[in-house]
Amino acid sequence: MKATISWWDLTGSGQTIDSLRVYLRDEGVDPWREVPGMRLKFWISDRETERWGAVMLWDSDADLTAPLPPNRATELIGYPPAVRMVSDVEAVVEGVLSGPLVERGLAFEPVGESS
């Protein structure tokens, strides 16, 4: 497996974590549902440092050069991520699950209830 990580510093952008959450909720997640070879994508943020990013897990045989959905985050933020890296995944483990993933993240919580 491979992992790709992209991390933006939003301090030079007109975008905020809150505005990017709206983008995820309205349009940002669905285009990634059918990407061949991608196991998982999750978006991350750090409000204290005004950072925004994404982590993707890929099958070992995934073509990481294949076309992907448009990178709207880069368009909205106005510049490419400060960090973009590809790494080997050494191990993966899932914890004890209580059923299907129902918590979708802060972008899908009612406005005003996120941290």
Side-chain angles (χ1 to χ4, degrees):
M1 289 183 94
K2 296 281 185 188
T4 58
I5 302 166
S6 299
W7 201 230
W8 281 267
D9 180 345
L10 299 178
T11 57
S13 172
Q15 296 296 322
T16 65
I17 289 169
D18 292 325
S19 67
L20 292 168
R21 281 182 184 163
V22 171
Y23 147 72
L24 281 180
R25 185 173 46 250
D26 292 350
E27 65 177 290
V29 173
D30 286 340
W32 294 92
R33 292 186 190 280
E34 302 297 325
V35 174
M38 187 183 76
R39 288 284 176 156
L40 175 70
K41 179 172 184 173
F42 55 95
W43 289 264
I44 55 176
S45 66
D46 182 340
R47 191 173 292 280
E48 288 183 25
T49 61
E50 280 300 307
R51 292 197 177 139
W52 179 266
V55 177
M56 292 179 275
L57 293 179
W58 299 91
D59 290 330
S60 295
D61 60 354
D63 180 1
L64 300 184
T65 64
L68 296 173
N71 193 335
R72 287 277 295 139
T74 295
E75 291 174 27
L76 292 169
I77 294 167
Y79 45 85
V83 173
R84 180 175 280 151
M85 59 187 285
V86 177
S87 299
D88 292 320
V89 174
E90 298 294 336
V92 175
V93 66
E94 290 185 8
V96 177
L97 304 175
S98 61
L101 183 65
V102 293
E103 183 178 348
R104 296 182 64 200
L106 296 173
F108 294 96
E109 288 185 0
V111 176
E113 291 188 25
S114 60
S115 54

mmCIF file with all atom_site columns, all heavy atoms in Angstrom, residues 97-106 108-109:
data_model
loop_
_atom_site.group_PDB
_atom_site.id
_atom_site.type_symbol
_atom_site.label_atom_id
_atom_site.label_alt_id
_atom_site.label_comp_id
_atom_site.label_asym_id
_atom_site.label_entity_id
_atom_site.label_seq_id
_atom_site.pdbx_PDB_ins_code
_atom_site.Cartn_x
_atom_site.Cartn_y
_atom_site.Cartn_z
_atom_site.occupancy
_atom_site.B_iso_or_equiv
_atom_site.pdbx_formal_charge
_atom_site.auth_seq_id
_atom_site.auth_comp_id
_atom_site.auth_asym_id
_atom_site.auth_atom_id
_atom_site.pdbx_PDB_model_num
ATOM 1  N N   . LEU A 1 97  ? -14.939 -2.502 15.504 1.00 0.00 ? 97  LEU A N   1
ATOM 2  C CA  . LEU A 1 97  ? -15.967 -1.654 14.921 1.00 0.00 ? 97  LEU A CA  1
ATOM 3  C C   . LEU A 1 97  ? -17.329 -1.991 15.514 1.00 0.00 ? 97  LEU A C   1
ATOM 4  O O   . LEU A 1 97  ? -17.639 -3.143 15.764 1.00 0.00 ? 97  LEU A O   1
ATOM 5  C CB  . LEU A 1 97  ? -16.012 -1.837 13.401 1.00 0.00 ? 97  LEU A CB  1
ATOM 6  C CG  . LEU A 1 97  ? -14.688 -1.589 12.676 1.00 0.00 ? 97  LEU A CG  1
ATOM 7  C CD1 . LEU A 1 97  ? -14.837 -1.920 11.203 1.00 0.00 ? 97  LEU A CD1 1
ATOM 8  C CD2 . LEU A 1 97  ? -14.227 -0.169 12.858 1.00 0.00 ? 97  LEU A CD2 1
ATOM 9  N N   . SER A 1 98  ? -18.132 -0.961 15.689 1.00 0.00 ? 98  SER A N   1
ATOM 10 C CA  . SER A 1 98  ? -19.481 -1.195 16.206 1.00 0.00 ? 98  SER A CA  1
ATOM 11 C C   . SER A 1 98  ? -20.499 -1.226 15.071 1.00 0.00 ? 98  SER A C   1
ATOM 12 O O   . SER A 1 98  ? -21.687 -1.169 15.308 1.00 0.00 ? 98  SER A O   1
ATOM 13 C CB  . SER A 1 98  ? -19.847 -0.092 17.207 1.00 0.00 ? 98  SER A CB  1
ATOM 14 O OG  . SER A 1 98  ? -19.825 1.159  16.580 1.00 0.00 ? 98  SER A OG  1
ATOM 15 N N   . GLY A 1 99  ? -20.039 -1.322 13.864 1.00 0.00 ? 99  GLY A N   1
ATOM 16 C CA  . GLY A 1 99  ? -20.920 -1.332 12.696 1.00 0.00 ? 99  GLY A CA  1
ATOM 17 C C   . GLY A 1 99  ? -20.325 -0.483 11.602 1.00 0.00 ? 99  GLY A C   1
ATOM 18 O O   . GLY A 1 99  ? -19.153 -0.114 11.656 1.00 0.00 ? 99  GLY A O   1
ATOM 19 N N   . PRO A 1 100 ? -21.115 -0.142 10.605 1.00 0.00 ? 100 PRO A N   1
ATOM 20 C CA  . PRO A 1 100 ? -20.593 0.663  9.500  1.00 0.00 ? 100 PRO A CA  1
ATOM 21 C C   . PRO A 1 100 ? -20.226 2.073  9.971  1.00 0.00 ? 100 PRO A C   1
ATOM 22 O O   . PRO A 1 100 ? -20.748 2.567  10.972 1.00 0.00 ? 100 PRO A O   1
ATOM 23 C CB  . PRO A 1 100 ? -21.746 0.700  8.499  1.00 0.00 ? 100 PRO A CB  1
ATOM 24 C CG  . PRO A 1 100 ? -22.955 0.305  9.255  1.00 0.00 ? 100 PRO A CG  1
ATOM 25 C CD  . PRO A 1 100 ? -22.503 -0.505 10.432 1.00 0.00 ? 100 PRO A CD  1
ATOM 26 N N   . LEU A 1 101 ? -19.318 2.694  9.246  1.00 0.00 ? 101 LEU A N   1
ATOM 27 C CA  . LEU A 1 101 ? -18.886 4.046  9.555  1.00 0.00 ? 101 LEU A CA  1
ATOM 28 C C   . LEU A 1 101 ? -20.061 4.997  9.393  1.00 0.00 ? 101 LEU A C   1
ATOM 29 O O   . LEU A 1 101 ? -20.589 5.169  8.305  1.00 0.00 ? 101 LEU A O   1
ATOM 30 C CB  . LEU A 1 101 ? -17.739 4.460  8.623  1.00 0.00 ? 101 LEU A CB  1
ATOM 31 C CG  . LEU A 1 101 ? -17.126 5.829  8.856  1.00 0.00 ? 101 LEU A CG  1
ATOM 32 C CD1 . LEU A 1 101 ? -16.443 5.877  10.221 1.00 0.00 ? 101 LEU A CD1 1
ATOM 33 C CD2 . LEU A 1 101 ? -16.118 6.136  7.762  1.00 0.00 ? 101 LEU A CD2 1
ATOM 34 N N   . VAL A 1 102 ? -20.519 5.568  10.483 1.00 0.00 ? 102 VAL A N   1
ATOM 35 C CA  . VAL A 1 102 ? -21.648 6.488  10.425 1.00 0.00 ? 102 VAL A CA  1
ATOM 36 C C   . VAL A 1 102 ? -21.208 7.925  10.687 1.00 0.00 ? 102 VAL A C   1
ATOM 37 O O   . VAL A 1 102 ? -21.854 8.856  10.240 1.00 0.00 ? 102 VAL A O   1
ATOM 38 C CB  . VAL A 1 102 ? -22.781 6.113  11.412 1.00 0.00 ? 102 VAL A CB  1
ATOM 39 C CG1 . VAL A 1 102 ? -23.416 4.805  11.003 1.00 0.00 ? 102 VAL A CG1 1
ATOM 40 C CG2 . VAL A 1 102 ? -22.280 6.033  12.833 1.00 0.00 ? 102 VAL A CG2 1
ATOM 41 N N   . GLU A 1 103 ? -20.123 8.104  11.387 1.00 0.00 ? 103 GLU A N   1
ATOM 42 C CA  . GLU A 1 103 ? -19.610 9.441  11.624 1.00 0.00 ? 103 GLU A CA  1
ATOM 43 C C   . GLU A 1 103 ? -18.799 9.837  10.406 1.00 0.00 ? 103 GLU A C   1
ATOM 44 O O   . GLU A 1 103 ? -17.797 9.215  10.080 1.00 0.00 ? 103 GLU A O   1
ATOM 45 C CB  . GLU A 1 103 ? -18.734 9.463  12.881 1.00 0.00 ? 103 GLU A CB  1
ATOM 46 C CG  . GLU A 1 103 ? -18.239 10.834 13.214 1.00 0.00 ? 103 GLU A CG  1
ATOM 47 C CD  . GLU A 1 103 ? -17.404 10.864 14.486 1.00 0.00 ? 103 GLU A CD  1
ATOM 48 O OE1 . GLU A 1 103 ? -17.399 9.872  15.224 1.00 0.00 ? 103 GLU A OE1 1
ATOM 49 O OE2 . GLU A 1 103 ? -16.773 11.877 14.701 1.00 0.00 ? 103 GLU A OE2 1
ATOM 50 N N   . ARG A 1 104 ? -19.238 10.862 9.710  1.00 0.00 ? 104 ARG A N   1
ATOM 51 C CA  . ARG A 1 104 ? -18.600 11.243 8.454  1.00 0.00 ? 104 ARG A CA  1
ATOM 52 C C   . ARG A 1 104 ? -17.623 12.384 8.623  1.00 0.00 ? 104 ARG A C   1
ATOM 53 O O   . ARG A 1 104 ? -16.936 12.747 7.682  1.00 0.00 ? 104 ARG A O   1
ATOM 54 C CB  . ARG A 1 104 ? -19.666 11.601 7.428  1.00 0.00 ? 104 ARG A CB  1
ATOM 55 C CG  . ARG A 1 104 ? -20.528 10.392 7.085  1.00 0.00 ? 104 ARG A CG  1
ATOM 56 C CD  . ARG A 1 104 ? -21.544 10.707 6.042  1.00 0.00 ? 104 ARG A CD  1
ATOM 57 N NE  . ARG A 1 104 ? -20.896 11.055 4.788  1.00 0.00 ? 104 ARG A NE  1
ATOM 58 C CZ  . ARG A 1 104 ? -21.503 11.741 3.826  1.00 0.00 ? 104 ARG A CZ  1
ATOM 59 N NH1 . ARG A 1 104 ? -22.735 12.145 3.963  1.00 0.00 ? 104 ARG A NH1 1
ATOM 60 N NH2 . ARG A 1 104 ? -20.860 12.031 2.721  1.00 0.00 ? 104 ARG A NH2 1
ATOM 61 N N   . GLY A 1 105 ? -17.549 13.015 9.778  1.00 0.00 ? 105 GLY A N   1
ATOM 62 C CA  . GLY A 1 105 ? -16.606 14.097 9.999  1.00 0.00 ? 105 GLY A CA  1
ATOM 63 C C   . GLY A 1 105 ? -17.286 15.422 10.272 1.00 0.00 ? 105 GLY A C   1
ATOM 64 O O   . GLY A 1 105 ? -18.496 15.585 10.122 1.00 0.00 ? 105 GLY A O   1
ATOM 65 N N   . LEU A 1 106 ? -16.478 16.386 10.675 1.00 0.00 ? 106 LEU A N   1
ATOM 66 C CA  . LEU A 1 106 ? -16.978 17.691 11.078 1.00 0.00 ? 106 LEU A CA  1
ATOM 67 C C   . LEU A 1 106 ? -17.709 18.423 9.960  1.00 0.00 ? 106 LEU A C   1
ATOM 68 O O   . LEU A 1 106 ? -18.639 19.176 10.221 1.00 0.00 ? 106 LEU A O   1
ATOM 69 C CB  . LEU A 1 106 ? -15.831 18.548 11.595 1.00 0.00 ? 106 LEU A CB  1
ATOM 70 C CG  . LEU A 1 106 ? -15.149 18.038 12.868 1.00 0.00 ? 106 LEU A CG  1
ATOM 71 C CD1 . LEU A 1 106 ? -13.906 18.869 13.187 1.00 0.00 ? 106 LEU A CD1 1
ATOM 72 C CD2 . LEU A 1 106 ? -16.107 18.040 14.033 1.00 0.00 ? 106 LEU A CD2 1
ATOM 73 N N   . PHE A 1 108 ? -19.817 17.409 8.013  1.00 0.00 ? 108 PHE A N   1
ATOM 74 C CA  . PHE A 1 108 ? -21.201 16.953 7.880  1.00 0.00 ? 108 PHE A CA  1
ATOM 75 C C   . PHE A 1 108 ? -22.021 17.122 9.163  1.00 0.00 ? 108 PHE A C   1
ATOM 76 O O   . PHE A 1 108 ? -23.152 16.699 9.226  1.00 0.00 ? 108 PHE A O   1
ATOM 77 C CB  . PHE A 1 108 ? -21.239 15.503 7.408  1.00 0.00 ? 108 PHE A CB  1
ATOM 78 C CG  . PHE A 1 108 ? -20.706 15.377 6.017  1.00 0.00 ? 108 PHE A CG  1
ATOM 79 C CD1 . PHE A 1 108 ? -19.392 15.037 5.782  1.00 0.00 ? 108 PHE A CD1 1
ATOM 80 C CD2 . PHE A 1 108 ? -21.523 15.651 4.926  1.00 0.00 ? 108 PHE A CD2 1
ATOM 81 C CE1 . PHE A 1 108 ? -18.895 14.953 4.497  1.00 0.00 ? 108 PHE A CE1 1
ATOM 82 C CE2 . PHE A 1 108 ? -21.044 15.567 3.635  1.00 0.00 ? 108 PHE A CE2 1
ATOM 83 C CZ  . PHE A 1 108 ? -19.716 15.224 3.408  1.00 0.00 ? 108 PHE A CZ  1
ATOM 84 N N   . GLU A 1 109 ? -21.427 17.753 10.186 1.00 0.00 ? 109 GLU A N   1
ATOM 85 C CA  . GLU A 1 109 ? -22.179 18.055 11.400 1.00 0.00 ? 109 GLU A CA  1
ATOM 86 C C   . GLU A 1 109 ? -22.992 19.320 11.171 1.00 0.00 ? 109 GLU A C   1
ATOM 87 O O   . GLU A 1 109 ? -22.613 20.174 10.367 1.00 0.00 ? 109 GLU A O   1
ATOM 88 C CB  . GLU A 1 109 ? -21.228 18.261 12.579 1.00 0.00 ? 109 GLU A CB  1
ATOM 89 C CG  . GLU A 1 109 ? -20.580 16.994 13.057 1.00 0.00 ? 109 GLU A CG  1
ATOM 90 C CD  . GLU A 1 109 ? -19.731 17.214 14.298 1.00 0.00 ? 109 GLU A CD  1
ATOM 91 O OE1 . GLU A 1 109 ? -19.646 18.355 14.795 1.00 0.00 ? 109 GLU A OE1 1
ATOM 92 O OE2 . GLU A 1 109 ? -19.149 16.229 14.754 1.00 0.00 ? 109 GLU A OE2 1
#
